[in-house]
């Protein structure tokens, strides 16, 4: 068995999962399972949301250790699912190591949904959430417009590698302004609250919160805490953005509240 | 109510696209979200508090997610994350800030605490189901 390749495969699988929104224990588990195919004595991996540390040792080889820094994370759960599938197949000997590595490379290269689908998904998600929270048809329309604005801004700003904090802050600021304009000056949409709540849902850090909880239960305290902080910062940036939007409007033009 | 549950389905469905979940899993994700919201809604109609309703909603979501994950041989995260989204206290967060801006600190504290409580009970629901699931797996 080619141990170098085995190690690379394990790390690639781990990196793919970590980058795309899997829980920490799942990443560690996957790496360990793949490495255990070597039947070596020492198999150890330590994963945090920002990096992977892994080592493989046996009397028969020189120790292999690897540190992988994972800086930018996004959410692409289909990559997590596919990687999980491939590692499962590899561990039950359904595919060879070489083909597993190749398939993982393909997963890595696979493209997410394109921008147009993304924008419409964000728009419709905002719109339907507005109805879920008790909005009417006109509120739906305003939220859809908000959603289009948010998604376009995010896609635009991401090109310039703007930080997540500023991204969420500016999107929520703009959605607050847009909502007020629509509710106040164009007589469609009349529930300011509901529209804003529906529109901020796509920004809310649901994945970070859920993973923070699950990591903490698993005992991955470092990951749990860092994800919780991540969620908190996102929540604060959204809140501040909406807050600035609302108060700017009431300060300059008055009469919103 | 039906309008809201159907909207919850679509909202979760489109959310699943935002998370880049592959096409074959989109509908189960939507269903998870709709069921969770339905239970939440029914609880609210029985005049339970928001916190308790969120707990039951999240419990249902976690339960459905675990079943679907077994059935589809997919990591439970996929269904759990998308299903939990409607219950995430976005409204609470917004109201907390809104009342801070309008200088109504009594209301903002009230909503702030409620938001934390909701986040807490959702966490507890997920923990319960995860633990329960592990016990079953170990027993086999």
């Amino acid at each position: 068995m080619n141990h170098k390749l085995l190690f690379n495969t394990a790390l690639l699988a781990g990196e793919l999962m970590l980058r795309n929104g899997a829980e920490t224990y799942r990443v560690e588990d996957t790496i360990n399972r793949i490495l255990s195919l070597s039947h070596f004595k020492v198999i150890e991996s330590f994963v945090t949301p920002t990096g992977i540390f892994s080592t493989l040792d046996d009397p028969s080889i020189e120790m292999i250790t690897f540190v992988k820094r994972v800086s930018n994370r996004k959410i692409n759960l289909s990559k997590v699912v596919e990687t999980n599938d491939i590692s499962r197949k590899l561990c039950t000997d359904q595919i060879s190591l070489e083909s597993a590595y190749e398939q993982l490379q393909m997963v890595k290269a696979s493209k997410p949904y394109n921008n147009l689908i993304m924008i419409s998904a964000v728009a419709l998600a905002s719109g339907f959430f507005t109805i879920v929270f008790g909005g009417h048809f006109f509120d739906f329309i305003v939220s859809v417009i908000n959603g289009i604005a948010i998604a376009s801004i995010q896609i635009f700003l991401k090109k310039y590698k703007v930080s997540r904090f500023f991204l969420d802050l500016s999107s929520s600021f703009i959605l607050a302004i847009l909502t007020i304009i629509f509710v106040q000056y164009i007589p469609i949409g009349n529930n300011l609250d509901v529209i804003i709540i529906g529109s901020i849902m796509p920004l809310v850090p649901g994945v970070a919160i859920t993973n923070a909880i699950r990591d903490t239960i698993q005992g991955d305290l470092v990951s749990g805490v860092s994800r919780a902080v991540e969620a908190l910062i996102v929540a604060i940036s959204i809140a501040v953005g909406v807050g600035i939007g609302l108060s700017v409007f009431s300060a300059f033009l008055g009469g919103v509240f | 109510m039906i309008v809201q549950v159907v909207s919850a389905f679509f909202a979760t469905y489109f959310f699943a696209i935002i998370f880049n979940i592959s096409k074959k899993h989109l509908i189960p994700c939507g269903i998870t979200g709709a069921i969770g919201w339905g239970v939440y809604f029914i609880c609210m109609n029985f005049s339970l508090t928001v916190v308790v309703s969120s707990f039951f909603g999240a419990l249902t979501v976690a339960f459905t997610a675990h079943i679907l994950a077994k059935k589809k041989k997919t990591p439970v995260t996929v269904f759990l994350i998308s299903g939990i989204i409607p219950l995430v206290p976005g409204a609470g967060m917004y109201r907390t800030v809104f009342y801070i801006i309008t200088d109504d600190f009594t209301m903002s504290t009230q909503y702030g605490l409620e938001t934390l409580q909701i986040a807490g009970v959702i966490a507890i629901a997920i923990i319960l189901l995860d633990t329960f699931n592990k016990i079953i797996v170990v027993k086999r």
Side-chain angles (χ1 to χ4, degrees):
Chain A
M1 185 181 274
N2 183 346
H3 298 121
K4 197 90 184 196
L5 183 64
L6 181 77
F7 205 75
N8 283 337
T9 312
L11 273 172
L12 181 59
E15 187 196 338
L16 274 172
M17 291 182 125
L18 191 61
R19 250 183 222 287
N20 293 302
E23 314 95 299
T24 306
Y25 79 90
R26 190 182 298 283
V27 180
E28 280 180 0
D29 193 49
T30 306
I31 295 177
N32 288 344
R33 269 171 208 258
I34 295 178
L35 288 183
S36 70
L37 291 175
S38 64
H39 301 294
F40 281 172
K41 266 192 180 149
V42 181
I43 293 162
E44 205 72 66
S45 66
F46 174 64
V47 175
T48 73
T50 51
I52 299 172
F53 311 82
S54 190
T55 186
L56 189 62
D57 192 20
D58 197 64
S60 65
I61 59 156
E62 270 197 35
M63 188 198 282
I64 312 178
T65 304
F66 205 93
V67 179
K68 177 84 197 163
R69 179 85 166 85
V70 175
S71 48
N72 61 327
R73 291 175 303 282
K74 47 186 182 284
I75 298 155
N76 188 330
L77 292 177
S78 73
K79 286 191 181 180
V80 175
V81 174
E82 281 164 34
T83 310
N84 202 55
D85 265 4
I86 293 169
S87 82
R88 200 175 276 182
K89 277 184 195 150
L90 176 64
C91 293
T92 50
D93 284 331
Q94 287 176 42
I95 51 173
S96 70
L97 187 58
E98 285 76 14
S99 81
Y101 189 72
E102 248 167 51
Q103 286 182 27
L104 285 174
Q105 290 286 7
M106 269 158 58
V107 171
K108 191 178 183 182
S110 70
K111 288 261 178 291
Y113 288 110
N114 67 41
N115 284 347
L116 199 65
I117 295 180
M118 215 43 139
I119 292 175
S120 21
V122 173
L124 289 166
S126 315
F128 279 111
F129 264 119
T130 307
I131 296 187
V132 168
F133 296 132
H136 299 293
F137 180 68
F138 288 122
D139 305 337
F140 174 86
I141 291 172
V142 179
S143 290
V144 168
I145 295 168
N146 279 342
I148 293 171
I150 295 172
S152 318
I153 292 162
Q154 295 233 347
I155 288 167
F156 176 75
L157 286 180
K158 261 180 200 157
K159 272 190 195 147
Y160 299 99
K161 303 231 183 313
V162 176
S163 71
R164 176 90 195 268
F165 183 82
F166 185 76
L167 218 68
D168 290 331
L169 192 108
S170 48
S171 327
S172 51
F173 173 74
I174 282 166
L175 85 83
I177 296 280
L178 273 178
T179 311
I180 296 177
I181 290 173
F182 273 110
V183 173
Q184 291 283 80
Y185 299 106
I186 305 165
I188 62 169
N190 37 17
N191 302 316
L192 185 77
D193 281 28
V194 175
I195 297 171
I196 290 183
I197 295 166
S199 309
I200 58 172
M201 288 308 281
L203 303 171
V204 164
V207 179
I209 291 175
T210 321
N211 279 347
I213 298 163
R214 306 194 74 213
D215 278 343
T216 313
I217 317 158
Q218 292 289 335
D220 292 320
L221 300 179
V222 175
S223 307
V225 171
S226 42
R227 284 197 214 264
V229 172
E230 186 186 3
L232 189 69
I233 288 177
V234 175
I236 290 173
S237 60
I238 298 170
V240 170
V242 174
I244 296 175
L246 291 178
S247 41
V248 161
F249 229 91
S250 62
F252 286 109
L253 298 154
V256 178
F257 309 124
Chain B
M1 159 165 185
I2 289 167
V3 175
Q4 289 207 346
V5 172
V6 172
S7 304
F9 171 84
F10 282 111
T12 318
Y13 182 95
F14 290 116
F15 239 100
I17 296 179
I18 301 177
F19 295 150
N20 269 301
I21 290 169
S22 59
K23 283 199 186 81
K24 59 179 175 182
H25 293 134
L26 290 180
I27 291 176
C29 285
I31 292 171
T32 318
I35 292 177
W37 186 258
V39 169
Y40 172 84
F41 204 84
I42 291 167
C43 290
M44 288 295 275
N45 272 358
F46 278 107
S47 60
L48 294 171
T49 61
V50 187
V51 177
V52 178
S53 307
S54 299
F55 175 73
F56 285 118
L59 207 60
T60 321
V61 167
F63 183 70
T64 320
H66 275 287
I67 287 182
L68 282 172
K70 283 265 150 53
K71 228 177 172 181
K72 304 242 166 205
K73 292 200 168 49
T74 306
V76 68
T77 331
V78 171
F79 305 112
L80 195 60
I81 286 177
S82 17
I84 225 80
I85 282 290
L87 300 167
V88 167
M93 264 169 44
Y94 162 71
R95 294 222 165 88
T96 310
V97 179
F98 181 88
Y99 286 114
I100 290 176
I101 295 163
T102 49
D103 276 339
D104 191 340
F105 289 103
T106 328
M107 289 296 271
S108 86
T109 315
Q110 187 191 322
Y111 277 114
L113 287 177
E114 194 183 270
T115 308
L116 285 181
Q117 278 178 317
I118 295 173
V121 292
I122 291 177
I124 293 169
I126 295 175
I127 293 170
L128 272 181
L129 256 290
D130 269 5
T131 316
F132 193 63
N133 186 49
K134 242 188 214 153
I135 293 170
I136 292 174
V137 170
V138 170
K139 258 191 177 171
R140 274 188 202 157

